[in-house]
Amino acid sequence: MDPQQQQAFNQFAGLGAGVILFALLFGLAAIAFVVFLFWRIFTKAGLSGPLALLTLLWPIGPLINLCILAFSDWKVVPTPYSGLTPYPPPGYPPAAPPSYPPSGYPPQGPTA
């Protein structure tokens, strides 16, 4: 192999190594984010947060996590009611509409 081909080969090898390193770092960040999300969901559901580490047992771990979340009893305290009433408060019934035609209609003019 001549030096020019060797230099091109080295450049492509470096490029490939950079792409693989970037993909590896991106994948690790994505896995860490998913573990963080499951951790938050488990703690908000009243379960133990470290159950989120089951996500690392790919591909069965996330399925186990979803089954735990779906079939366990969530120990969550309901939030207090916001105070909005679903229906208007009871009050007086609406007034009856005026009767039509009003009395005295048609107008009576002087009869001549």
XYZ file of all heavy atoms in Angstrom:
848
model
N 0.847 -1.165 0.000
C 0.000 0.000 0.000
C 0.898 1.235 0.000
O 1.839 1.321 0.780
C -0.874 -0.027 1.252
C -2.101 0.789 1.094
S -3.277 0.864 2.472
C -3.401 -0.692 3.183
N 0.604 2.161 -0.875
C 1.426 3.364 -0.926
C 1.026 4.321 0.204
O -0.021 4.183 0.812
C 1.339 4.019 -2.306
C -0.041 4.553 -2.637
O -0.994 4.204 -1.922
O -0.166 5.327 -3.604
N 1.853 5.307 0.495
C 1.603 6.204 1.636
C 0.285 6.988 1.513
O -0.367 7.271 2.512
C 2.794 7.150 1.636
C 3.847 6.484 0.830
C 3.154 5.557 -0.101
N -0.131 7.332 0.307
C -1.368 8.087 0.146
C -2.576 7.222 0.528
O -3.505 7.697 1.184
C -1.482 8.581 -1.301
C -2.583 9.580 -1.499
C -2.594 10.147 -2.914
O -1.994 9.575 -3.815
N -3.256 11.274 -3.079
N -2.557 5.967 0.119
C -3.654 5.062 0.480
C -3.648 4.803 1.994
O -4.705 4.713 2.608
C -3.530 3.743 -0.277
C -3.883 3.845 -1.742
C -3.700 2.502 -2.435
O -2.968 1.632 -1.966
N -4.369 2.349 -3.575
N -2.468 4.688 2.561
C -2.375 4.454 4.004
C -2.932 5.640 4.779
O -3.622 5.469 5.781
C -0.903 4.207 4.389
C -0.681 3.895 5.848
C -1.304 2.572 6.250
O -1.351 1.635 5.469
N -1.787 2.511 7.473
N -2.655 6.859 4.295
C -3.159 8.055 4.966
C -4.688 8.109 4.869
O -5.357 8.430 5.852
C -2.546 9.309 4.338
C -2.959 10.583 5.025
C -2.346 11.815 4.369
O -1.716 11.713 3.316
N -2.542 12.956 5.003
N -5.262 7.777 3.713
C -6.715 7.770 3.558
C -7.340 6.702 4.457
O -8.384 6.927 5.086
C -7.086 7.523 2.099
N -6.687 5.551 4.540
C -7.183 4.481 5.399
C -7.180 4.921 6.863
O -8.146 4.671 7.601
C -6.314 3.228 5.212
C -6.726 2.097 6.089
C -7.856 1.332 5.799
C -6.001 1.787 7.235
C -8.233 0.298 6.622
C -6.373 0.748 8.051
C -7.500 -0.001 7.753
N -6.120 5.587 7.296
C -6.037 6.060 8.673
C -7.106 7.114 8.975
O -7.669 7.144 10.067
C -4.646 6.623 8.968
C -3.596 5.535 9.052
O -3.920 4.368 9.228
N -2.329 5.923 8.899
N -7.388 7.977 7.992
C -8.422 8.985 8.195
C -9.799 8.338 8.362
O -10.572 8.716 9.246
C -8.430 9.971 7.027
C -7.269 10.934 7.025
C -7.287 11.853 5.819
O -8.020 11.621 4.861
N -6.459 12.890 5.866
N -10.120 7.365 7.526
C -11.412 6.693 7.630
C -11.505 5.863 8.914
O -12.576 5.767 9.518
C -11.683 5.824 6.405
C -12.090 6.611 5.198
C -11.353 6.552 4.030
C -13.211 7.421 5.234
C -11.726 7.281 2.915
C -13.589 8.152 4.130
C -12.851 8.084 2.961
N -10.388 5.287 9.336
C -10.386 4.525 10.584
C -10.640 5.457 11.768
O -11.399 5.131 12.683
C -9.066 3.788 10.755
N -10.028 6.639 11.743
C -10.267 7.617 12.805
C -11.697 8.117 12.804
O -12.315 8.300 13.859
N -12.237 8.336 11.608
C -13.626 8.769 11.499
C -14.574 7.698 12.041
O -15.509 7.999 12.786
C -13.967 9.087 10.039
C -15.392 9.562 9.757
C -15.630 10.911 10.399
C -15.622 9.614 8.274
N -14.314 6.462 11.692
C -15.145 5.360 12.182
C -15.072 5.232 13.691
O -16.083 5.002 14.359
N -13.860 5.394 14.245
C -13.708 5.318 15.703
C -14.457 6.459 16.380
O -15.085 6.274 17.434
C -12.233 5.350 16.072
N -14.448 7.636 15.787
C -15.181 8.778 16.352
C -16.682 8.557 16.328
O -17.387 8.878 17.289
N -17.180 8.004 15.227
C -18.620 7.727 15.129
C -19.028 6.681 16.159
O -20.065 6.809 16.830
C -18.981 7.281 13.693
C -20.370 6.705 13.626
C -18.824 8.439 12.727
N -18.216 5.644 16.310
C -18.533 4.599 17.289
C -18.494 5.165 18.709
O -19.371 4.873 19.533
C -17.564 3.407 17.128
C -17.881 2.665 15.829
C -17.653 2.467 18.313
C -16.888 1.590 15.480
N -17.524 6.007 19.008
C -17.442 6.620 20.334
C -18.647 7.510 20.599
O -19.225 7.482 21.689
C -16.138 7.413 20.458
C -15.899 8.079 21.809
C -15.738 7.029 22.894
C -14.671 8.967 21.739
N -19.041 8.298 19.614
C -20.210 9.166 19.767
C -21.471 8.341 19.995
O -22.285 8.657 20.875
C -20.381 10.056 18.528
C -21.609 10.913 18.596
C -21.644 12.053 19.384
C -22.746 10.580 17.870
C -22.781 12.837 19.450
C -23.886 11.353 17.928
C -23.907 12.490 18.721
N -21.655 7.274 19.222
C -22.839 6.421 19.378
C -22.840 5.756 20.747
O -23.895 5.637 21.391
C -22.877 5.371 18.269
N -21.682 5.336 21.232
C -21.584 4.712 22.544
C -21.954 5.701 23.650
O -22.731 5.370 24.553
C -20.170 4.171 22.758
C -19.921 3.436 24.064
C -20.722 2.147 24.104
C -18.440 3.148 24.226
N -21.419 6.912 23.577
C -21.749 7.923 24.579
C -23.218 8.312 24.528
O -23.870 8.491 25.567
C -20.865 9.159 24.395
C -19.391 8.979 24.743
C -18.615 10.252 24.430
C -19.243 8.597 26.203
N -23.777 8.439 23.332
C -25.196 8.772 23.189
C -26.060 7.645 23.753
O -27.056 7.904 24.442
C -25.535 9.025 21.716
C -26.944 9.469 21.505
C -27.314 10.774 21.753
C -27.913 8.575 21.057
C -28.627 11.187 21.562
C -29.211 8.973 20.867
C -29.575 10.287 21.117
N -25.693 6.401 23.491
C -26.442 5.260 24.015
C -26.402 5.202 25.533
O -27.420 4.942 26.184
N -25.233 5.444 26.118
C -25.135 5.455 27.581
C -25.959 6.576 28.190
O -26.607 6.393 29.235
C -23.672 5.569 28.008
C -22.807 4.330 27.789
C -21.354 4.620 28.154
C -23.346 3.161 28.596
N -25.963 7.741 27.560
C -26.778 8.854 28.060
C -28.265 8.518 27.958
O -29.038 8.828 28.871
C -26.459 10.129 27.279
N -28.682 7.871 26.887
C -30.081 7.493 26.738
C -30.489 6.464 27.781
O -31.578 6.558 28.368
C -30.329 6.958 25.327
N -29.627 5.484 28.044
C -29.929 4.473 29.065
C -30.008 5.122 30.445
O -30.914 4.817 31.233
C -28.873 3.350 29.023
C -29.040 2.524 27.756
C -28.973 2.457 30.255
C -27.918 1.553 27.502
N -29.085 6.033 30.751
C -29.119 6.724 32.043
C -30.397 7.539 32.181
O -31.006 7.593 33.260
C -27.895 7.620 32.191
N -30.856 8.154 31.101
C -32.085 8.941 31.140
C -33.298 8.051 31.389
O -34.180 8.392 32.171
C -32.238 9.728 29.838
C -33.428 10.638 29.813
C -33.504 11.725 30.673
C -34.467 10.411 28.934
C -34.592 12.562 30.655
C -35.567 11.245 28.909
C -35.629 12.326 29.771
N -33.345 6.891 30.746
C -34.470 5.966 30.947
C -34.475 5.449 32.377
O -35.544 5.356 33.008
C -34.410 4.816 29.923
C -35.397 3.718 30.258
C -34.669 5.349 28.524
N -33.311 5.130 32.932
C -33.241 4.693 34.329
C -33.724 5.802 35.248
O -34.482 5.559 36.192
C -31.805 4.245 34.691
C -31.655 4.058 36.192
C -31.446 2.971 33.961
N -33.322 7.041 34.979
C -33.780 8.184 35.770
C -35.303 8.321 35.710
O -35.957 8.536 36.736
C -33.109 9.468 35.267
C -33.683 10.720 35.854
C -33.414 11.082 37.162
C -34.510 11.540 35.092
C -33.955 12.239 37.703
C -35.049 12.696 35.624
C -34.773 13.049 36.933
N -35.876 8.173 34.507
C -37.324 8.289 34.376
C -38.044 7.196 35.158
O -39.021 7.479 35.874
C -37.720 8.230 32.897
C -37.314 9.413 32.031
C -37.762 9.181 30.598
C -37.894 10.693 32.562
N -37.581 5.954 35.036
C -38.211 4.870 35.795
C -38.049 5.094 37.299
O -38.958 4.811 38.074
C -37.633 3.515 35.396
C -38.365 2.858 34.259
C -37.723 2.588 33.066
C -39.689 2.494 34.379
C -38.385 1.976 32.017
C -40.366 1.886 33.344
C -39.716 1.624 32.156
N -36.904 5.603 37.719
C -36.676 5.868 39.140
C -37.718 6.861 39.659
O -38.308 6.661 40.717
C -35.268 6.409 39.338
C -34.789 6.405 40.770
C -35.281 7.128 41.805
C -33.719 5.632 41.302
N -34.591 6.873 42.943
C -33.618 5.952 42.663
C -32.831 4.724 40.753
C -32.667 5.378 43.497
C -31.885 4.166 41.586
C -31.807 4.485 42.933
N -37.929 7.934 38.900
C -38.916 8.946 39.310
C -40.328 8.361 39.345
O -41.108 8.657 40.246
C -38.866 10.137 38.353
C -37.582 10.923 38.396
C -37.488 11.773 39.603
N -38.555 12.762 39.537
C -38.865 13.605 40.497
N -38.184 13.580 41.604
N -39.837 14.454 40.369
N -40.662 7.549 38.358
C -42.001 6.951 38.318
C -42.195 6.022 39.511
O -43.251 6.048 40.165
C -42.220 6.215 36.980
C -42.302 7.213 35.831
C -43.488 5.371 37.037
C -42.285 6.576 34.460
N -41.194 5.198 39.816
C -41.317 4.282 40.949
C -41.469 5.037 42.260
O -42.279 4.665 43.107
C -40.114 3.337 41.018
C -40.220 2.153 40.103
C -39.236 1.896 39.165
C -41.292 1.288 40.175
C -39.326 0.808 38.317
C -41.391 0.189 39.330
C -40.410 -0.046 38.400
N -40.697 6.104 42.466
C -40.811 6.837 43.723
C -42.147 7.559 43.820
O -42.732 7.626 44.898
C -39.657 7.841 43.890
O -39.608 8.696 42.758
C -38.337 7.132 44.055
N -42.656 8.093 42.717
C -43.959 8.758 42.759
C -45.096 7.764 42.948
O -46.156 8.117 43.431
C -44.180 9.582 41.501
C -43.364 10.845 41.485
C -43.652 11.681 40.269
C -42.748 12.879 40.295
N -43.464 14.112 40.451
N -44.870 6.509 42.566
C -45.881 5.473 42.755
C -45.811 4.877 44.157
O -46.612 4.011 44.492
C -45.714 4.378 41.718
N -44.851 5.312 44.966
C -44.725 4.798 46.311
C -43.932 3.510 46.379
O -43.972 2.812 47.385
N -43.221 3.181 45.340
C -42.400 1.970 45.305
C -40.933 2.355 45.478
O -40.576 3.529 45.487
C -42.612 1.232 43.985
C -44.049 0.789 43.713
C -44.189 0.312 42.283
C -44.463 -0.290 44.678
N -40.087 1.366 45.586
C -38.664 1.611 45.770
C -38.034 2.087 44.458
O -38.203 1.463 43.412
C -37.988 0.330 46.247
O -36.611 0.536 46.374
N -37.286 3.186 44.517
C -36.649 3.745 43.338
C -35.635 2.843 42.673
O -35.556 2.796 41.443
N -34.830 2.081 43.448
C -33.828 1.221 42.805
C -34.407 0.120 41.923
O -33.655 -0.537 41.210
C -33.054 0.632 43.987
C -33.193 1.652 45.060
C -34.558 2.222 44.887
N -35.717 -0.080 41.940
C -36.300 -1.023 40.983
C -36.034 -0.582 39.546
O -36.087 -1.393 38.623
C -37.814 -1.143 41.208
C -38.262 -1.987 42.393
C -39.763 -1.855 42.590
C -37.893 -3.436 42.182
N -35.737 0.686 39.370
C -35.448 1.197 38.030
C -34.182 0.591 37.446
O -34.015 0.577 36.227
C -35.326 2.717 38.074
N -33.312 0.076 38.288
C -32.075 -0.523 37.792
C -32.336 -1.817 37.036
O -31.454 -2.312 36.336
C -31.102 -0.752 38.944
C -30.625 0.528 39.638
C -29.740 0.189 40.823
C -29.908 1.446 38.669
N -33.549 -2.365 37.157
C -33.901 -3.532 36.351
C -33.880 -3.205 34.858
O -33.780 -4.094 34.024
C -35.280 -4.061 36.740
C -35.385 -4.792 38.076
C -36.837 -5.086 38.382
C -34.580 -6.058 38.033
N -33.989 -1.935 34.532
C -33.966 -1.512 33.138
C -32.650 -1.913 32.472
O -32.605 -2.139 31.265
C -34.145 0.016 33.056
O -35.319 0.369 33.770
C -34.274 0.498 31.641
N -31.596 -2.029 33.248
C -30.287 -2.361 32.689
C -30.215 -3.803 32.199
O -29.295 -4.157 31.467
C -29.197 -2.100 33.734
C -29.091 -0.645 34.202
C -28.056 -0.538 35.299
C -28.765 0.279 33.050
N -31.161 -4.643 32.596
C -31.180 -6.031 32.135
C -31.928 -6.108 30.810
O -33.040 -6.619 30.724
C -31.859 -6.931 33.187
C -31.227 -6.954 34.562
C -32.071 -7.786 35.507
C -29.817 -7.499 34.475
N -31.310 -5.587 29.785
C -31.953 -5.504 28.477
C -32.092 -6.884 27.877
O -31.176 -7.680 28.039
C -31.130 -4.598 27.566
C -31.786 -4.345 26.278
C -31.503 -4.925 25.093
C -32.866 -3.450 26.031
N -32.316 -4.452 24.124
C -33.181 -3.542 24.679
C -33.606 -2.592 26.810
C -34.192 -2.808 24.100
C -34.607 -1.865 26.233
C -34.886 -1.977 24.893
N -33.125 -7.276 27.223
C -34.380 -6.626 26.857
C -35.528 -6.944 27.809
O -36.612 -6.405 27.660
C -34.675 -7.204 25.478
C -34.159 -8.592 25.544
C -32.939 -8.505 26.429
N -35.312 -7.778 28.821
C -36.414 -8.193 29.682
C -36.648 -7.204 30.830
O -37.749 -7.133 31.374
C -36.166 -9.631 30.215
C -37.424 -10.246 30.805
C -35.084 -9.650 31.251
C -38.363 -10.757 29.793
N -35.651 -6.412 31.194
C -35.756 -5.486 32.320
C -36.856 -4.448 32.181
O -37.664 -4.269 33.100
N -36.919 -3.714 31.052
C -38.007 -2.745 30.914
C -39.388 -3.398 30.944
O -40.344 -2.824 31.480
C -37.740 -2.093 29.556
C -36.290 -2.273 29.331
C -35.935 -3.580 29.972
N -39.497 -4.606 30.420
C -40.775 -5.310 30.466
C -41.152 -5.661 31.906
O -42.311 -5.516 32.310
C -40.708 -6.569 29.611
C -41.980 -7.400 29.531
C -43.086 -6.589 28.877
C -41.734 -8.673 28.773
N -40.158 -6.072 32.705
C -40.407 -6.350 34.123
C -40.852 -5.070 34.835
O -41.792 -5.087 35.639
C -39.150 -6.956 34.777
C -38.863 -8.337 34.204
C -39.306 -7.026 36.289
C -37.531 -8.906 34.639
N -40.185 -3.955 34.541
C -40.570 -2.682 35.149
C -42.009 -2.314 34.808
O -42.768 -1.890 35.675
C -39.638 -1.557 34.696
C -38.340 -1.549 35.453
O -38.218 -2.168 36.499
N -37.366 -0.857 34.917
N -42.375 -2.464 33.556
C -43.746 -2.124 33.156
C -44.761 -3.037 33.826
O -45.842 -2.589 34.224
C -43.876 -2.171 31.641
C -43.120 -1.086 30.884
C -43.249 -1.295 29.378
C -43.620 0.290 31.267
N -44.424 -4.314 33.984
C -45.342 -5.238 34.673
C -45.482 -4.870 36.145
O -46.579 -4.923 36.700
C -44.863 -6.674 34.523
S -45.068 -7.310 32.860
N -44.371 -4.488 36.780
C -44.437 -4.066 38.182
C -45.328 -2.842 38.313
O -46.185 -2.764 39.203
C -43.023 -3.783 38.733
C -42.236 -5.082 38.876
C -43.092 -3.068 40.075
C -40.771 -4.876 39.207
N -45.156 -1.875 37.425
C -45.963 -0.660 37.499
C -47.437 -0.941 37.190
O -48.323 -0.321 37.766
C -45.418 0.394 36.532
C -44.093 1.022 36.941
C -43.555 1.888 35.817
C -44.257 1.825 38.205
N -47.698 -1.861 36.293
C -49.076 -2.113 35.886
C -49.845 -2.903 36.936
O -51.039 -2.655 37.136
C -49.091 -2.860 34.555
N -49.191 -3.834 37.613
C -49.926 -4.754 38.473
C -49.711 -4.541 39.961
O -50.262 -5.289 40.767
C -49.558 -6.199 38.102
C -49.930 -6.543 36.689
C -48.959 -6.846 35.753
C -51.254 -6.541 36.284
C -49.295 -7.157 34.454
C -51.597 -6.848 34.980
C -50.617 -7.159 34.061
N -48.959 -3.547 40.369
C -48.756 -3.308 41.796
C -49.732 -2.239 42.284
O -50.288 -1.459 41.510
C -47.320 -2.866 42.063
O -47.078 -1.608 41.477
N -49.936 -2.224 43.608
C -50.770 -1.190 44.215
C -49.919 0.055 44.425
O -48.872 0.005 45.066
C -51.315 -1.666 45.566
C -52.315 -2.789 45.404
O -53.022 -2.786 44.383
O -52.381 -3.651 46.302
N -50.387 1.167 43.886
C -49.664 2.412 44.012
C -50.048 3.048 45.336
O -51.219 3.283 45.594
C -49.984 3.338 42.843
C -49.375 2.912 41.552
C -49.086 1.647 41.158
C -48.978 3.770 40.488
N -48.528 1.660 39.905
C -48.458 2.953 39.468
C -49.011 5.128 40.292
C -47.974 3.460 38.276
C -48.532 5.642 39.110
C -48.016 4.815 38.109
N -49.074 3.336 46.161
C -49.328 3.944 47.462
C -49.229 5.463 47.306
O -48.291 6.092 47.771
C -48.319 3.420 48.478
C -48.368 1.921 48.642
C -47.141 1.417 49.373
C -47.035 -0.070 49.329
N -46.604 -0.600 48.054
N -50.219 6.029 46.674
C -50.202 7.453 46.364
C -51.306 8.135 47.148
O -52.436 7.665 47.187
C -50.399 7.681 44.846
C -50.409 9.159 44.527
C -49.327 6.973 44.064
N -50.975 9.240 47.778
C -51.973 10.031 48.483
C -52.636 10.939 47.463
O -51.958 11.645 46.712
C -51.306 10.870 49.593
C -52.317 11.740 50.301
C -50.578 9.963 50.560
N -53.982 10.927 47.394
C -54.629 11.788 46.402
C -54.399 13.265 46.719
O -54.294 13.660 47.877
C -56.106 11.425 46.495
C -56.261 10.706 47.779
C -54.928 10.152 48.157
N -54.313 14.049 45.694
C -54.123 15.481 45.872
C -55.414 16.102 46.387
O -56.511 15.613 46.090
C -53.735 16.158 44.544
O -54.761 15.908 43.600
C -52.413 15.616 44.046
N -55.319 17.165 47.163
C -56.544 17.793 47.661
C -57.366 18.372 46.515
O -56.836 18.780 45.488
C -56.045 18.892 48.597
C -54.629 19.121 48.217
C -54.119 17.837 47.636
N -58.657 18.397 46.751
C -59.570 18.906 45.725
C -59.308 20.373 45.493
O -59.073 21.131 46.437
C -61.004 18.660 46.181
C -62.015 18.889 45.098
C -62.034 18.093 43.957
C -62.929 19.911 45.199
C -62.955 18.294 42.964
C -63.850 20.126 44.206
C -63.865 19.325 43.094
O -64.779 19.547 42.109
N -59.366 20.803 44.262
C -58.992 22.177 43.930
C -60.045 23.194 44.333
O -59.810 24.381 44.270
C -58.706 22.288 42.436
O -59.900 22.044 41.713
N -61.225 22.765 44.728
C -62.247 23.697 45.174
C -63.222 24.091 44.082
O -64.159 24.832 44.338
N -63.016 23.642 42.881
C -63.952 23.956 41.821
C -65.178 23.068 41.965
O -65.071 21.869 42.203
C -63.312 23.735 40.453
C -62.099 24.588 40.140
C -61.511 24.170 38.804
C -62.474 26.041 40.096
N -66.338 23.657 41.857
C -67.557 22.868 41.972
C -67.949 22.377 40.591
O -67.894 23.120 39.611
C -68.707 23.710 42.561
O -68.881 24.860 41.748
C -68.394 24.131 43.985
N -68.354 21.128 40.482
C -68.685 20.613 39.161
C -69.987 21.177 38.621
O -70.184 21.253 37.437
C -68.776 19.103 39.374
C -69.020 18.935 40.828
C -68.405 20.110 41.504
N -70.895 21.579 39.510
C -72.180 22.127 39.081
C -72.373 23.483 39.750
O -71.835 23.730 40.823
C -73.318 21.194 39.475
C -73.199 19.835 38.858
C -72.810 18.743 39.613
C -73.445 19.643 37.510
C -72.683 17.493 39.051
C -73.317 18.398 36.940
C -72.952 17.322 37.711
O -72.824 16.093 37.140
N -73.181 24.348 39.169
C -73.422 25.625 39.835
C -74.185 25.392 41.138
O -74.947 24.436 41.260
C -74.256 26.414 38.820
C -74.765 25.421 37.852
C -73.852 24.253 37.888
N -73.985 26.246 42.123
C -74.672 26.043 43.395
C -76.188 26.202 43.217
O -76.646 26.964 42.358
C -74.096 27.138 44.291
C -73.562 28.162 43.363
C -73.165 27.425 42.120
N -76.961 25.481 44.015
C -78.414 25.613 43.878
C -78.853 27.011 44.289
O -78.315 27.607 45.201
C -78.958 24.542 44.818
C -77.856 24.281 45.783
C -76.583 24.552 45.051
N -79.806 27.522 43.617
C -80.307 28.866 43.905
C -81.765 28.944 43.501
O -82.467 27.940 43.364
N -82.219 30.138 43.350
C -83.605 30.333 42.947
C -83.777 29.890 41.501
O -82.884 30.029 40.684
C -83.991 31.805 43.090
C -83.958 32.271 44.519
C -82.970 33.115 44.974
C -84.921 31.835 45.422
C -82.925 33.541 46.285
C -84.887 32.244 46.741
C -83.886 33.100 47.163
O -83.855 33.499 48.461
N -84.979 29.395 41.169
C -85.193 29.034 39.768
C -85.227 30.292 38.920
O -85.520 31.379 39.409
C -86.537 28.315 39.780
C -87.207 28.745 41.038
C -86.123 29.078 42.010
N -84.929 30.164 37.665
C -84.935 31.357 36.809
C -86.348 31.925 36.694
O -87.342 31.215 36.811
C -84.432 30.850 35.461
C -84.626 29.384 35.488
C -84.567 28.966 36.923
N -86.398 33.206 36.487
C -87.695 33.878 36.367
C -88.388 33.438 35.084
O -87.740 33.132 34.087
C -87.492 35.392 36.358
N -89.704 33.405 35.135
C -90.476 33.025 33.952
C -90.364 34.116 32.903
O -90.342 35.300 33.232
C -91.918 32.798 34.333
N -90.302 33.763 31.649
C -90.222 34.798 30.616
C -91.546 35.567 30.547
O -92.595 35.050 30.916
C -89.974 34.005 29.338
C -90.430 32.626 29.626
C -90.296 32.426 31.092
N -91.474 36.786 30.077
C -92.717 37.565 29.981
C -93.662 36.915 28.965
O -93.240 36.279 28.019
C -92.255 38.948 29.517
C -90.915 38.725 28.915
C -90.324 37.523 29.588
N -94.941 37.082 29.225
C -95.918 36.484 28.310
C -96.061 37.344 27.066
O -96.075 38.569 27.132
C -97.266 36.332 29.009
O -97.753 37.605 29.395
N -96.146 36.717 25.945
C -96.293 37.431 24.676
C -97.544 36.932 24.013
O -97.866 35.749 24.108
C -95.080 37.189 23.767
C -93.860 37.942 24.224
C -92.829 37.313 24.888
C -93.752 39.309 24.003
C -91.721 37.994 25.317
C -92.638 40.001 24.440
C -91.627 39.348 25.087
O -90.532 40.044 25.505
N -98.221 37.648 23.330
C -98.128 39.099 23.188
C -98.616 39.780 24.457
O -99.453 39.246 25.168
C -99.040 39.420 22.003
C -100.018 38.326 21.955
C -99.343 37.123 22.528
N -98.049 40.933 24.744
C -98.464 41.631 25.963
C -99.928 42.046 25.861
O -100.475 42.199 24.778
C -97.548 42.841 26.024
C -96.879 42.951 24.715
C -97.032 41.642 24.007
N -100.513 42.182 27.049
C -101.920 42.602 27.051
C -102.012 43.998 26.456
O -101.153 44.824 26.657
C -102.481 42.573 28.464
O -101.735 43.452 29.275
N -103.034 44.254 25.753
C -103.187 45.543 25.088
C -102.636 45.522 23.689
O -102.459 46.569 23.064
N -102.330 44.353 23.163
C -101.821 44.276 21.808
C -102.881 43.611 20.973
O -103.430 42.606 21.399
C -100.521 43.446 21.763
C -99.861 43.440 20.407
C -99.090 44.501 20.007
C -100.043 42.382 19.527
C -98.492 44.485 18.757
C -99.457 42.370 18.291
C -98.675 43.436 17.901
O -98.088 43.436 16.674
N -103.230 43.948 19.903
C -102.818 45.122 19.131
C -103.354 46.391 19.769
O -104.358 46.372 20.455
C -103.438 44.893 17.749
C -104.545 43.959 17.955
C -104.235 43.177 19.173
N -102.648 47.459 19.584
C -103.068 48.704 20.230
C -104.476 49.105 19.785
O -104.842 48.970 18.627
C -102.034 49.709 19.801
C -101.212 49.094 18.757
C -101.502 47.634 18.727
N -105.197 49.508 20.756
C -106.564 49.961 20.490
C -106.562 51.480 20.313
O -106.230 52.201 21.219
C -107.493 49.571 21.651
C -107.519 48.088 21.934
C -108.148 47.297 20.808
O -109.057 47.787 20.137
N -107.648 46.083 20.586
N -106.856 51.913 19.169
C -106.915 53.347 18.901
C -108.314 53.883 19.179
O -109.232 53.140 19.514
N -108.434 55.140 19.077
C -109.773 55.699 19.279
C -110.716 55.167 18.193
O -110.376 55.067 17.034
C -109.581 57.199 19.158
C -108.222 57.409 18.587
C -107.450 56.138 18.750
N -111.820 54.760 18.627
C -112.800 54.236 17.675
C -113.671 55.393 17.207
O -114.222 56.130 17.992
C -113.639 53.155 18.301
O -114.242 53.672 19.478
C -112.831 51.930 18.622
N -113.757 55.568 15.988
C -114.573 56.679 15.471
C -115.612 56.197 14.532
O -115.651 55.224 13.934
C -113.726 57.723 14.816
